């Protein structure tokens, strides 16, 4: 250790900045082949946006680099924009101020920090979907017997720490379409914009699945009445379900309901 596998560093122990030296060197080597004296500022902007800043994206999906590495990547891109012929010139704006859409006063770049968070949100989405071997493994290791939002570990892996850091930001943008009802009755968002545990105060909240409140004729209003106020029951009665289908995650920021990194970036950068 460390060694590189499928383009990503495999390491043991702390996540050191030196693990990403290869990425930094690759970006700097690329600049050595570009003649900045022949490029206008607009040409530099296109190269920086579509070529230079896209190089770290693959690695950002796999790992979340230390802040020092994120800063170095931004410095490289900003220096390419403002410097000329290898000579340092005045940087009229910091890299962070350029990482906004053009209609908000930026140059259309995306902050490496925000993209790393968007990719972490994608990981959480796959984890919550539970439709892969990786998700099944993570559930068995970290959230076996408890809700994913409450899961913790004494010695978590880097991946789990990354999920823990992003889950409180991602979860409010997730809704469940009820199918067979294997959804947490109190903690998941399936009926209202907030979990039912936040809506119903002062009541005992034992663990239930939504399926326990379903009957062949519809919702079990009698049992719902034992735990929820009438105003909430009225809303739940209008929630459709199909027990022949699996429960489905819906990503609210996307018009299709499917997760996209672009929509996650829009949410997390605000």
């Amino acid at each position: 250790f460390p060694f590189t596998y499928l383009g990503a560093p495999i390491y043991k122990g702390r996540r050191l900045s030196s693990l990403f030296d290869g990425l930094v060197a690759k970006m700097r080597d690329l600049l050595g082949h570009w003649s900045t004296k022949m490029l206008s500022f607009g040409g530099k902007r296109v190269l920086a946006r579509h070529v230079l800043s896209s190089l770290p994206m693959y690695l950002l999906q796999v790992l979340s680099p230390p802040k020092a590495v994120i800063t170095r990547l931004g410095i490289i891109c900003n220096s390419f924009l403002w410097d000329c012929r290898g000579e340092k010139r005045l940087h009229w704006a910091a890299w962070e101020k350029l990482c906004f859409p053009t209609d908000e006063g930026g140059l259309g770049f995306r902050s490496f920090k925000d993209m790393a968070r968007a990719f972490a949100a994608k990981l959480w989405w796959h984890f919550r979907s539970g439709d892969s071997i990786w998700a099944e493994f993570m559930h068995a290791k970290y959230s076996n017997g408890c809700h994913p939002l409450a899961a913790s570990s004494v010695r978590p892996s880097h991946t789990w720490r990354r999920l823990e850091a992003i889950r409180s930001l991602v979860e409010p943008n997730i809704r469940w379409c009820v199918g067979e009802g294997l959804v947490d009755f109190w903690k998941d968002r399936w009926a209202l914009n907030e979990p039912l545990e936040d809506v119903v105060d002062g009541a005992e909240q034992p663990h239930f699945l939504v399926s326990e409140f379903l009957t062949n004729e519809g919702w079990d209003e009698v049992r719902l009445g034992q735990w929820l106020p009438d105003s909430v029951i009225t809303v739940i009665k209008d929630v459709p379900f199909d027990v022949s289908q699996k429960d489905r995650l819906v990503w609210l920021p996307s018009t299709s309901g499917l997760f996209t990194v672009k929509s996650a970036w829009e949410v997390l950068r605000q």
Side-chain angles (χ1 to χ4, degrees):
F1 291 101
F3 62 92
T4 301
Y5 178 70
L6 296 180
I10 306 299
Y11 63 95
K12 181 179 180 181
R14 296 181 60 188
R15 182 181 35 132
L16 301 175
S17 297
S18 59
L19 295 170
F20 302 89
D21 287 346
L23 172 62
V24 175
K26 185 176 181 180
M27 293 182 67
R28 286 176 173 165
D29 290 343
L30 186 61
L31 295 180
H33 299 287
W34 292 348
S35 178
T36 56
K37 64 181 180 181
M38 301 298 293
L39 293 172
S40 65
F41 184 82
K44 290 182 179 181
R45 174 177 172 269
V46 171
L47 281 175
R49 180 179 178 183
H50 296 286
V51 180
L52 190 61
S53 62
S54 65
L55 287 178
M57 292 304 159
Y58 169 73
L59 198 55
L60 291 179
Q61 296 187 60
V62 182
L63 298 172
S64 180
K67 292 181 180 179
V69 175
I70 296 292
T71 301
R72 288 167 66 187
L73 297 180
I75 290 175
I76 291 174
C77 292
N78 211 32
S79 297
F80 173 71
L81 281 175
W82 300 111
D83 295 344
C84 182
R85 302 179 186 179
E87 299 177 1
K88 290 187 177 181
R89 294 191 174 184
L90 180 63
H91 292 191
W92 291 102
W95 175 250
E96 292 76 13
K97 294 184 178 180
L98 303 180
C99 296
F100 290 94
T102 53
D103 57 355
E104 296 180 15
L107 291 181
F109 297 106
R110 294 183 179 179
S111 165
F112 296 119
K113 177 183 176 180
D114 291 339
M115 288 305 299
R117 295 169 69 189
F119 288 129
K122 182 180 180 180
L123 275 182
W124 181 258
W125 171 266
H126 286 306
F127 172 69
R128 291 290 270 141
S129 299
D131 54 2
S132 65
I133 296 177
W134 172 81
E136 292 177 358
F137 168 78
M138 294 295 286
H139 274 286
K141 183 174 182 180
Y142 293 107
S143 65
N144 189 17
C146 67
H147 192 273
L149 286 175
S152 61
S153 176
V154 177
R155 298 183 62 184
S157 65
H158 168 70
T159 301
W160 180 250
R161 288 197 297 267
R162 191 179 185 187
L163 292 176
E164 280 187 316
I166 203 67
R167 62 185 176 185
S168 62
L169 301 175
V170 179
E171 198 67 22
N173 298 286
I174 290 177
R175 296 294 183 276
W176 286 92
C177 281
V178 181
E180 55 190 336
L182 301 180
V183 178
D184 193 290
F185 182 79
W186 294 109
K187 296 182 179 298
D188 286 327
R189 292 170 169 84
W190 58 273
L192 302 172
N193 292 330
E194 299 294 332
L196 292 182
E197 68 175 0
D198 294 341
V199 177
V200 181
D201 296 327
E204 183 183 0
Q205 297 176 350
H207 175 67
F208 290 133
L209 295 178
V210 175
S211 60
E212 299 178 52
F213 295 84
L214 301 177
T215 66
N216 294 331
E217 291 75 26
W219 293 98
D220 189 343
E221 297 182 35
V222 175
R223 189 171 188 189
L224 287 172
Q226 298 174 358
W227 301 100
L228 302 174
D230 292 339
S231 58
V232 177
I233 295 176
T234 301
V235 175
I236 291 178
K237 286 164 59 178
D238 294 331
V239 175
F241 64 90
D242 184 354
V243 294
S244 64
Q245 302 292 327
K246 290 186 176 182
D247 304 309
R248 182 170 59 89
L249 274 181
V250 176
W251 178 247
L252 294 182
S254 173
T255 55
S256 65
L258 301 176
F259 182 91
T260 62
V261 174
K262 180 180 179 180
S263 62
W265 173 77
E266 287 285 358
V267 171
L268 296 172
R269 74 180 181 88
Q270 298 175 0

